[in-house]
């Protein structure tokens, strides 16, 4: 589903920084993978490249069989909006839009009819247990609720790939566990490929596979036959 | 100063575009101020220089307005003890008949006496012509040219020069060429000397002179000579030093100067608002930085000073740029003002050089800096009040608190009541202007509240148009009322001025057209010059009979119009055959009885005055008007007040017999010709032209042509409105670019998220475009509303302080309809670059941005 072939990403400033150094890896369809490593190890860079938010300096990134290098901006955006859902550490909800509008945002951008957008967004907010918050603005929600809205938004197109950058990093332990349970549950139900960047070993342990990065290189790639229990599943 | 280097300079460098936009605000204001005033001064300077150079050693001049006077006045003047030399002169501006050369100023002088006042320094070999004036006099086709004019057009002694005269184009022989000197450079060098008696004949002046130039007897003061001559000649003559003509010129063009001043002040005010806008945005942008500075020990005073010094530096840089740009545009404006003054006032002059006044430039520099500091004062105070703890609470400071809203609304309410009271309670002009200023203040106070309310109101519409882009564009405006309202208010102000001037222009056009349709109803107008306002060429009275005898001509009315001095102001006297006029033109008076006013004026028992004269000179119906004339003071009651656009300073309409008696002048400026029933207009026009072909210079305008001519002059007058629209467009672009640049910085993460969840480049662009169009829409709505109020005040100012004309309140629908696409297109253009920068910004950086 996701293939990186000798991918390097370097940043040229006053000092050249190699964020990813000749990384090759493959993530099959439906796998739930965590990426761990210390700060500056290249985790987020890897996620950005997979998500088409950034472009490699060299090497090739393929998502769902499509090579991203060389795609024009709008084509890259189309790959993103058709195949990838994002969950951010700081939620990145638009503060002026209600929960319903935030979740419906990617669908509106795809030109869906209003009624269909509303129907799908409501359905997803039900899925993340926020039926009673449809018209609330993000600032009226708790951190956990905001992240659930962000997850619902990421799932709005039922993407084959879900990318999460420290999804529990900005939440307290219990809420973090709940969110992780929700992601695991959705993964199980929807069968999406999930890539989670995290510092948290508990989160990493709940995934089928963990890739460890250090100084821009893959230093460990662990596959588990059984995953650790993710905690209470919201609405489970 | 250290803070300026440490804090401000890096900020300016980082936000180079925004800094340039801020400076552009002041450049714009100062440039328009300097450009307009320099141009105006240059025109006045050129006029004065021409007067001065022609005057030579002249100490006093005797004139009777522009009507001229009988030759015998010269003897009376020469008989005065305090007069050493008195020489007559005729001035005529004629068509040079040379493509690209325009007009030529002809001085008709008496060579026998004139050289004691003026130096005619001829190029070698020509001196004999002047040494023996009889040679010059004996050949009435003689002419002396300046070396500038001769050189440009390759004329030498004995060349033949064609000139437009009362008898058509006549060829004159060059008898001498003046060396470059003071006199020869008058009127931009387009000057020629002719014998005065030849000039009288050539320009149809009869036995009259335009003026007498005087040198005072040694031992007598100018003041003594002036008193003696005034007593000798009576009130119908003006006895002034040559500089007095400059003052008359200024008085005549006062209305135009007032318009120029209003326009330039408006540009400065708009510039101030752009600065305010930029600094208000900068303060909100740099809140965190200010918070850190405060936390590190900077006092409120230091923060305030930092922003004020920044604004002073901005003002200085912008003013210097404005001075340079202003001087560049001054040349173009001067040419345009020169043409306008020529066409509207009939005073030909050439502003070939730009008269830069150090005083004006210094004033503009100071005004630019002060404007900048004043504009930044409120943002600087807000910066000083920043709470270090709250400084990092992103977004909160953009919101208008309920308390602030209440204070604004309450103040606006109080100001509105006082403003209305000012209008109703007193007729004092000062109180009126205070009321006007308060009305503007009300609009400025309410602008943020109304912007917010309107942004909320249009959100559903925008969302309906584009669910994501529309909603986000509206939300951006709603979330940042300070940023939004600053741009909206700048736009509102500039549009309000455009609407008001557009309304004034519209009302003027409507009134002028109404006047033309009733007063100017002859089928043909026979005139001696292509230019209606040039009155230096005139017809003899007998031509009326000749015209009347032509087949197809039914009625001929003789019109003599001339500018005279009345209470120190140049006004227009129009003398015609009122009895005949009353049979062809029945115009309802504003005051007076229509039948009686025509009857009494025709009988020489009264005068009619224009509404603007009555207003500007506070004249009442029935009041006896005293008009000084060469043959005594005309004392006649005002029997009617009517609308008339013959002159901006006002018109007195009298019967021709009165004019002939008091001015001893029966010449004619124009014939109003009515055709006999069934006659064909082009055919009669052809007959008139054929009748005078080769004999006399005659131009025949049809009714349609005359009206088109007047409308063309009116267009020139209102060309200022186009300048204001251009300024409004610039304001829109500057303000919107500024707002959007900041908006995009503020919304970097939001735009990043949009892109991350699938927004295409086109969708991001549309969001920014919609925001820009929304700002323009808010500005248009508020600008039209304030413009409606502004128009009322401007019409009052026009009536009471500028032109004395009562214009109907007509909201300029066509101007507003034209402004809508103009401003929307401008805002769209302004949004192109910011939108592209939003699309091209790094997604990863945007998502990490906080």
């Amino acid at each position: 589903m996701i293939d990186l072939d000798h991918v390097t990403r370097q940043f040229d400033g006053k000092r050249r920084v190699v964020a990813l150094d000749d990384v090759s890896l493959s993530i099959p369809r439906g796998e739930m993978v965590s990426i761990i490593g210390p700060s500056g190890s290249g985790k987020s860079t890897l996620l950005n490249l997979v998500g088409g938010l950034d472009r490699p300096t060299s090497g090739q990134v393929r998502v769902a069989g499509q090579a991203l290098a060389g795609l024009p901006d709008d084509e890259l955006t189309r790959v993103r909006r058709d195949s990838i859902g994002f969950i951010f550490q700081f939620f990145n909800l638009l503060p002026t839009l209600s929960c319903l509008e935030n979740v419906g945002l990617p669908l509106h951008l795809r030109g869906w009819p209003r009624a269909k957008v509303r129907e799908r967004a409501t359905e997803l907010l039900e899925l993340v247990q926020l039926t009673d918050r449809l018209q609330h603005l993000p600032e009226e929600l708790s951190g956990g609720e905001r992240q659930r809205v962000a997850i619902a938004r990421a799932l709005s197109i039922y993407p084959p790939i879900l990318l999460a950058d420290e999804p529990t990093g900005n939440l307290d332990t219990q809420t973090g566990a709940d969110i992780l349970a929700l992601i695991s549950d959705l993964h199980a139900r929807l069968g999406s490929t999930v890539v989670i960047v995290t510092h948290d070993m508990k989160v990493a342990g709940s995934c089928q596979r963990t890739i460890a990065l250090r100084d821009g290189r893959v230093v460990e790639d662990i596959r588990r036959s059984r995953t650790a229990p993710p905690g209470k599943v919201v609405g489970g | 100063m250290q803070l300026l280097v440490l804090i401000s300079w890096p900020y300016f460098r980082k936000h180079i575009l925004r800094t340039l936009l801020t400076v552009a605000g002041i450049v714009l204001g100062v440039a328009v101020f300097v450009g307009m005033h320099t141009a105006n001064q240059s025109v006045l300077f050129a006029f004065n220089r021409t007067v001065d150079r022609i005057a030579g050693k002249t100490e006093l001049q005797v004139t009777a307005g522009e009507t001229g006077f009988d030759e015998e006045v010269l003897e009376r003047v020469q008989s005065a003890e305090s007069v050493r030399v008195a020489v007559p002169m005729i001035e005529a501006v004629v068509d040079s008949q040379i493509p690209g050369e325009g007009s030529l100023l002809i001085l008709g002088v008496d060579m026998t006496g004139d050289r004691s006042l003026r130096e005619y320094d001829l190029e070698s070999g020509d001196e004999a012509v002047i040494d023996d004036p009889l040679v010059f006099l004996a050949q009435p086709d003689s002419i002396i040219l300046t070396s500038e004019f001769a050189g440009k057009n390759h004329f030498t002694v004995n060349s033949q020069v064609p000139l437009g005269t009362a008898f058509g184009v006549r060829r004159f022989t060059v008898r001498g060429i003046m060396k470059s000197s003071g006199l020869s450079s008058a009127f931009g060098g387009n000057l020629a000397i002719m014998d005065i008696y030849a000039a009288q004949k050539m320009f149809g002046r009869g036995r009259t002179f335009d003026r007498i130039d005087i040198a005072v007897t040694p031992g007598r003061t100018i003041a003594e000579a002036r008193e003696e001559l005034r007593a000798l000649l009576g009130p119908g003559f003006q006895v002034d030093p040559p500089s007095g003509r400059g003052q008359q010129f200024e008085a005549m063009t006062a209305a135009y100067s007032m318009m120029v001043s209003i326009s330039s002040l408006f540009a400065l005010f708009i510039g101030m608002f752009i600065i305010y806008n930029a600094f208000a945005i900068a303060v909100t942008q740099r809140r965190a930085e200010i918070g850190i500075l405060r936390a590190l020990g900077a006092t409120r005073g230091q923060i305030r000073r930092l922003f004020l010094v920044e604004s002073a530096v901005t003002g200085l840089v912008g003013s210097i740029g404005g001075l340079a740009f202003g001087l560049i545009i001054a040349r173009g404006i001067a040419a345009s003002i020169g043409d306008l003054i020529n066409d509207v006032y009939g005073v030909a002059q050439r502003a070939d050089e730009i008269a830069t006044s150090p005083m004006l430039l210094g004033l503009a520099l100071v005004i630019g800096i002060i404007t900048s500091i004043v504009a930044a004062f409120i943002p600087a105070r807000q910066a000083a009040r920043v709470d270090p703890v709250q400084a990092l609470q992103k977004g909160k400071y953009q919101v208008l608190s309920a308390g602030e809203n209440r204070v604004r609304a309450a103040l606006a309410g109080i100001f509105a009541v006082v403003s209305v009271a000012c209008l109703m309670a007193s007729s004092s002009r000062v109180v009126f202007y205070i009321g006007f200023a308060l009305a503007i203040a009300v609009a400025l106070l309410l602008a943020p509240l109304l912007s917010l309310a309107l942004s909320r109101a249009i959100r559903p519409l925008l969302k309906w148009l584009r669910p994501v882009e529309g909603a986000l564009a509206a939300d951006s405006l709603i979330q940042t009322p300070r940023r939004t309202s600053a741009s909206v208010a700048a736009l509102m102000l500039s549009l309000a001025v455009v609407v008001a001037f557009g309304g004034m222009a519209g009302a003027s056009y409507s009134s002028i057209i109404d006047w033309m349709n009733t007063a100017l109803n002859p089928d043909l107008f026979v005139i001696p010059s292509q230019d209606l306002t040039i009155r230096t060429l005139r017809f003899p009275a007998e031509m009326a009979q000749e015209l009347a005898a032509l087949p197809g001509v039914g009625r001929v009315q003789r019109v003599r119009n001339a500018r005279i001095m009345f209470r120190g102001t140049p006004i227009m006297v129009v003398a015609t055959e009122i009895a005949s006029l009353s049979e062809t033109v029945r115009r309802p008076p504003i005051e007076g009885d229509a039948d009686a006013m025509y009857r009494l004026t025709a009988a020489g028992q009264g005068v009619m005055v224009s509404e603007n004269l009555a207003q500007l000179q506070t004249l009442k119906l029935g009041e006896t008007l005293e008009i000084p004339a060469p043959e005594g003071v005309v004392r006649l009651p005002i029997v009617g007040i009517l609308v008339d656009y013959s002159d901006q300073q006002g018109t007195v309409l009298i019967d021709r017999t009165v004019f002939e008696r008091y001015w001893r002048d029966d010449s004619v400026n124009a014939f109003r010709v009515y055709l006999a029933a069934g006659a064909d207009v082009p055919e009669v026009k052809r007959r008139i032209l054929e009748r005078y072909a080769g004999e006399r210079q005659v131009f025949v305008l049809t009714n349609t042509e005359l009206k088109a001519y007047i409308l063309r002059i009116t267009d020139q007058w209102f060309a200022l409105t186009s300048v204001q629209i251009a300024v409004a467009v610039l304001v829109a672009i500057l303000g919107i670019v500024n707002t959007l640049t900041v908006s995009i910085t503020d919304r970097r993460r939001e735009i990043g998220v949009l892109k991350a969840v699938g927004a295409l480049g086109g969708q991001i662009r549309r969001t920014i475009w919609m925001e820009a169009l929304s700002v323009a829409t808010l500005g248009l709505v508020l600008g039209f509303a304030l413009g409606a109020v502004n128009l009322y005040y401007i019409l009052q100012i026009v009536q009471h302080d500028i032109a004395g004309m009562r214009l109907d309140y007509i909201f300029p629908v066509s101007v507003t309809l034209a402004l809508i696409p103009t401003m929307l297109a401008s805002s769209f253009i302004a949004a192109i670059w910011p939108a592209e920068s939003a699309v091209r910004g790094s997604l990863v950086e945007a998502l990490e941005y906080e």
Side-chain angles (χ1 to χ4, degrees):
Chain A
M1 190 69 190
I2 299 169
D3 293 291
L4 277 73
D5 185 14
H6 298 288
V7 169
T8 296
R9 178 70 173 106
Q10 64 187 38
F11 296 96
D12 295 325
K14 284 180 183 167
R15 192 168 61 90
R16 176 174 291 180
V17 176
V18 180
L20 274 187
D21 188 4
D22 195 29
V23 171
S24 295
L25 57 85
S26 182
I27 300 171
R29 183 185 303 275
E31 196 170 39
M32 185 162 167
V33 180
S34 61
I35 297 174
I36 59 169
S39 291
S41 59
K43 306 185 294 292
S44 294
T45 304
L46 177 66
L47 201 71
N48 290 338
L49 291 172
V50 171
L53 300 177
D54 196 5
R55 293 172 189 271
T57 309
S58 64
Q60 186 59 270
V61 179
R62 285 178 191 281
V63 171
Q66 168 105 52
L68 302 188
L71 280 184
D73 270 357
D74 277 355
E75 282 309 306
L76 201 58
T77 304
R78 284 202 174 85
V79 170
R80 216 158 43 224
R81 79 181 187 188
D82 292 342
S83 311
I84 301 167
F86 284 98
I87 303 169
F88 302 98
Q89 180 180 359
F90 295 104
F91 325 130
N92 277 339
L93 297 175
L94 299 192
T96 59
L97 302 186
S98 67
C99 294
L100 202 61
E101 288 169 331
N102 262 297
V103 175
L105 186 62
L107 305 174
H108 277 303
L109 291 170
R110 290 159 67 102
W112 280 33
R114 286 159 211 265
K116 211 172 155 198
V117 170
R118 191 179 169 86
E119 189 187 323
R120 169 70 69 88
T122 310
E123 182 188 306
L124 285 163
L125 283 165
E126 275 173 21
L127 192 67
V128 296
Q129 294 287 296
L130 286 173
T131 323
D132 53 341
R133 294 279 199 253
L134 299 185
Q135 297 303 334
H136 284 65
L137 292 173
E139 65 179 16
E140 295 163 345
L141 305 178
S142 68
E145 286 174 324
R146 286 182 204 184
Q147 194 59 298
R148 278 194 273 158
V149 175
I151 292 169
R153 182 179 66 187
L155 293 173
S156 62
I157 53 161
Y158 293 141
I161 298 167
L162 193 60
L163 304 178
D165 190 358
E166 302 274 12
T168 59
N170 206 28
L171 302 172
D172 62 61
T173 312
Q174 184 53 51
T175 312
D178 292 346
I179 289 297
L180 187 63
L182 173 64
I183 293 172
S184 298
D185 180 48
L186 292 172
H187 166 245
R189 281 206 238 172
L190 303 174
S192 302
T193 307
V194 179
V195 181
I196 302 174
V197 163
T198 184
H199 274 105
D200 187 335
M201 293 313 290
K202 264 191 178 173
V203 174
S206 67
C207 297
Q208 297 161 327
R209 179 180 172 193
T210 297
I211 298 167
L213 295 179
R214 183 182 292 274
D215 298 332
R217 287 174 173 271
V218 176
V219 290
E220 211 172 357
D221 189 345
I222 308 162
R223 289 176 196 272
R224 298 180 186 84
S225 52
R226 279 183 65 235
T227 54
K232 190 185 82 173
V233 175
V234 176
Chain B
M1 202 61 196
Q2 278 175 327
L3 278 181
L4 193 72
V5 175
L6 266 174
I7 307 295
S8 309
W9 179 239
Y11 178 82
F12 284 156
R13 277 180 48 183
K14 189 176 174 196
H15 299 93
I16 189 79
L17 176 75
R18 207 178 310 153
T19 307
L20 286 175
L21 288 173
T22 312
V23 173
I26 279 294
V27 170
L28 176 75
V30 172
V32 174
F33 180 83
V34 169
M36 288 210 155
H37 282 275
T38 301
N40 216 21
Q41 274 189 351
S42 301
V43 171
L44 181 61
F45 178 74
F47 180 83
N48 281 331
R49 191 176 46 190
T50 294
V51 167
D52 189 48
R53 289 179 174 171
I54 290 173
K57 293 175 196 155
T58 302
E59 291 169 301
L60 282 173
Q61 292 180 329
V62 174
T63 52
E66 62 175 30
T67 59
F69 44 80
D70 198 89
E71 283 179 356
E72 60 87 18
V73 174
L74 178 63
E75 285 174 29
R76 279 156 64 194
V77 170
Q78 284 171 332
S79 70
E81 284 180 11
S82 51
V83 171
R84 179 173 66 85
V85 179
V87 291
M89 180 171 277
I90 278 181
E91 277 185 21
V93 176
V94 300
D95 186 355
S96 66
Q97 308 288 320
I98 300 168
E101 270 301 338
S103 47
L104 188 68
L105 175 63
I106 306 280
L107 298 184
V109 298
D110 178 0
M111 275 301 170
T112 52
D114 207 78
R115 295 184 73 200
S116 50
L117 289 184
R118 276 170 276 270
E119 293 287 339
Y120 296 97
D121 196 7
L122 299 192
E123 289 183 355
S124 59
D126 306 331
E127 206 71 42
V129 178
I130 303 295
D131 285 345
D132 185 358
L134 291 177
V135 175
F136 200 76
L137 289 175
Q139 298 162 308
D141 68 336
S142 300
I143 199 167
I144 296 173
L145 296 179
T146 63
S147 60
E148 288 88 342
F149 188 78
K152 267 189 295 181
N153 299 294
H154 313 293
F155 290 128
T156 55
V157 172
N158 293 325
S159 290
Q160 298 286 300
V161 180
L163 291 176
T165 71
F167 306 102
V169 177
R170 288 280 183 271
R171 304 190 81 78
F172 289 81
T173 306
V174 179
R175 305 279 181 208
I177 292 173
M178 276 190 280
K179 283 182 187 167
S180 289
S181 65
L183 177 63
S184 72
S185 59
F187 204 64
N190 277 26
L191 182 89
I193 309 291
M194 185 185 278
D195 175 60
I196 192 161
Y197 299 104
Q200 277 180 332
K201 185 162 180 286
M202 286 298 158
F203 305 122
R205 300 300 178 82
R207 310 293 289 175
T208 64
F209 298 137
D210 282 349
R211 64 165 199 268
I212 297 169
D213 285 2
I214 291 163
V216 176
T217 307
R220 295 294 183 97
T221 65
I222 293 174
E224 284 167 359
R226 198 176 178 193
E227 284 313 304
E228 185 189 359
L229 287 168
R230 278 183 171 173
L232 185 72
L233 299 171
F237 292 86
Q238 290 87 49
V239 184
D240 295 304
S243 59
R245 290 181 76 193
Q247 287 159 15
Q248 287 176 23
F249 181 79
E250 279 185 72
M252 192 167 58
T253 55
Y256 188 78
S257 297
M258 180 98 172
M259 294 270 285
V260 165
S261 295
I262 290 175
S263 287
S264 55
L265 280 177
F266 150 71
L268 268 180
F269 194 57
I270 295 296
M272 187 165 95
F273 227 83
I274 292 175
I275 294 273
Y276 165 76
N277 183 359
F279 273 90
I281 288 169
V283 169
T284 52
Q285 281 278 295
R286 294 161 68 184
R287 223 175 149 82
E289 178 187 291
I290 298 165
I292 293 166
L293 282 174
R294 292 275 290 120
L296 291 174
T299 63
R300 286 182 193 277
Q302 281 175 308
I303 300 292
R304 190 169 47 239
R305 275 197 298 281
L306 176 69
F307 277 89
L308 289 178
V309 171
E310 274 184 22
S311 68
V313 172
T314 310
L316 177 68
V317 174
S319 298
I320 291 170
L323 293 186
F325 189 49
L327 291 177
I328 292 169
I329 61 173
R331 191 171 289 276
I333 300 175
S336 145
I337 293 179
D339 289 347
L340 178 77
I341 286 173
N342 190 15
D343 291 344
V344 175
Y345 301 104
V347 177
Q349 45 66 58
R350 297 167 71 97
D352 294 332
E353 289 172 32
I354 289 302
T356 46
S357 148
M359 181 95 104
L360 176 73
L361 299 185
L363 180 70
L365 198 68
V366 171
I367 287 178
I369 296 169
I370 290 177
T371 303
S372 185
I373 293 174
V374 168
F377 182 78
I378 294 175
R381 203 181 55 173
Q382 283 171 349
R385 287 180 179 174
V386 165
D387 183 332
V389 179
Q390 291 179 347
L392 290 166
Q393 289 183 0
K394 189 170 180 281
K396 295 286 182 198
Y397 53 84
Q398 284 279 6
V399 180
L400 291 166
S401 70
E404 192 179 350
N405 281 348
R406 272 198 298 277
V407 171
R408 278 175 179 275
L411 266 178
I414 294 166
F415 285 2
V417 170
V418 178
S419 174
V420 173
C422 285
L423 211 56
M424 299 174 80
S426 167
S427 59
S428 153
R429 301 308 297 154
V430 174
V431 173
F432 168 83
Y433 279 102
I434 290 172
F436 186 18
L438 285 175
I440 302 286
V442 169
L444 291 176
L445 282 167
L446 289 180
L449 308 181
L450 294 174
S451 295
L452 189 58
L454 284 171
S455 302
R456 285 188 175 132
I458 61 170
R459 189 183 191 273
L461 173 69
L462 293 177
K463 193 180 168 193
W464 176 77
L465 284 171
R466 308 288 312 184
V468 177
E469 299 97 312
L472 292 178
D475 288 340
S476 173
L477 303 180
I478 293 167
Q479 293 302 306
T480 55
R482 288 187 203 284
R483 185 178 74 207
T484 308
S485 65
S487 284
V488 169
L491 210 51
M492 169 185 79
L493 280 176
S494 73
L495 290 177
V497 176
V498 176
V499 167
F501 275 80
M504 182 189 68
S508 302
Y509 276 106
S510 158
S511 193
I512 287 169
I513 289 168
D514 183 51
W515 167 70
M516 288 196 305
N517 287 340
T518 52
L520 305 180
N521 61 1
D523 301 300
L524 295 170
F525 295 83
V526 180
I527 48 177
S529 166
Q530 264 180 316
D531 198 337
L532 267 178
T533 51
I534 299 270
R535 291 176 289 275
T536 52
L537 294 177
R538 297 202 285 272
F539 292 131
E542 314 82 75
M543 247 181 87
Q545 285 81 39
E546 295 165 10
L547 286 168
L550 290 174
V553 173
R555 183 196 290 262
V556 178
Q557 293 167 350
R558 291 170 292 181
V559 180
R560 172 81 171 100
N561 57 333
R563 197 167 274 126
I564 59 157
M565 294 304 287
F566 175 72
R567 298 181 185 172
T569 307
I571 65 162
M572 187 71 81
V573 167
V574 177
T576 187
E577 291 140 309
I578 300 291
S580 172
L581 190 78
S582 68
E583 290 167 19
T584 55
V585 174
R586 298 294 289 180
R587 301 184 54 218
I590 290 170
E591 284 183 57
D593 175 73
D595 288 331
M597 85 180 179
Y598 281 110
R599 183 169 37 79
L600 291 169
T601 308
Q605 293 168 3
V607 298
M608 293 183 262
V609 299
S610 65
E611 181 201 20
N612 60 332
L613 183 71
Q615 181 74 47
L616 294 172
Q617 302 289 343
T618 54
L619 302 174
K620 301 270 179 289
L621 187 72
E623 178 180 338
T624 298
L625 201 63
E626 296 194 349
I627 311 169
E631 298 301 314
V633 177
V634 182
R635 287 192 179 81
L636 288 171
I638 297 172
V639 293
I641 298 175
L642 37 76
V643 172
D644 189 283
Y645 288 97
S646 300
D647 192 74
Q648 277 184 349
Q649 301 291 335
T651 311
V652 177
L653 195 62
I654 59 173
D655 192 72
R656 192 170 157 77
T657 52
V658 177
F659 189 83
E660 285 178 8
R661 186 161 70 242
Y662 282 91
W663 275 269
R664 282 178 65 178
D665 177 0
D666 69 348
S667 63
V668 175
N669 291 104
F671 292 102
R672 293 160 58 100
V673 177
Y674 292 87
L675 301 197
D680 179 46
V681 171
E683 179 57 24
V684 177
K685 177 176 174 175
R686 188 186 57 76
R687 279 180 201 147
I688 295 173
L689 290 171
E690 275 181 5
R691 165 69 184 79
Y692 293 101
E695 182 184 328
R696 197 165 271 292
Q697 180 163 287
V698 167
F699 295 89
V700 183
L701 297 185
T702 62
N703 189 285
T704 314
E705 286 167 344
L706 181 90
K707 286 175 181 168
Y709 180 93
I710 292 173
L711 284 179
R712 206 166 52 243
I713 292 179
T714 314
D715 286 343
Q716 264 179 287
W717 174 259
F718 287 111
L720 266 183
T721 310
S722 325
V723 175
Q724 279 150 352
I725 291 176
V727 172
V729 169
L730 272 176
V731 168
I733 292 176
L734 285 177
I736 290 172
V737 169
N738 210 349
T739 301
L740 290 182
T741 312
V742 176
S743 166
I744 286 160
T745 313
D746 280 355
R747 294 163 61 200
R748 217 166 137 192
R749 176 173 258 206
E750 178 182 309
I751 291 165
V753 172
L754 271 179
K755 286 194 208 168
V757 300
L760 300 173
Q763 291 172 314
I764 302 288
R765 282 188 195 95
R766 270 197 293 278
T767 307
I768 309 299
W769 294 342
M770 288 181 95
E771 186 175 344
L773 292 171
S774 301
V775 170
T777 306
L778 301 188
L780 281 166
V781 171
L782 297 186
F784 291 161
L786 181 62
V789 177
N790 204 21
L791 174 58
Y792 171 80
Y793 281 98
I794 291 288
L795 291 181
Q796 291 291 313
I797 292 171
V798 167
Q799 184 184 345
H800 296 282
D801 303 318
I802 299 182
M805 289 168 189
R806 198 190 323 241
L807 297 171
D808 291 335
Y809 185 101
I810 305 166
F811 189 80
V813 177
S814 56
V815 171
T816 50
L817 287 178
L819 278 172
I820 294 171
T822 307
M823 300 322 282
L824 292 179
S826 306
S827 66
F828 178 73
I829 290 166
I832 291 174
W833 185 84
E836 287 311 304
S837 87
V839 170
R840 289 183 188 156
S842 159
L843 231 172
V844 174
E845 282 176 27
L847 290 169
E848 286 168 357
Y849 173 78
E850 187 59 45

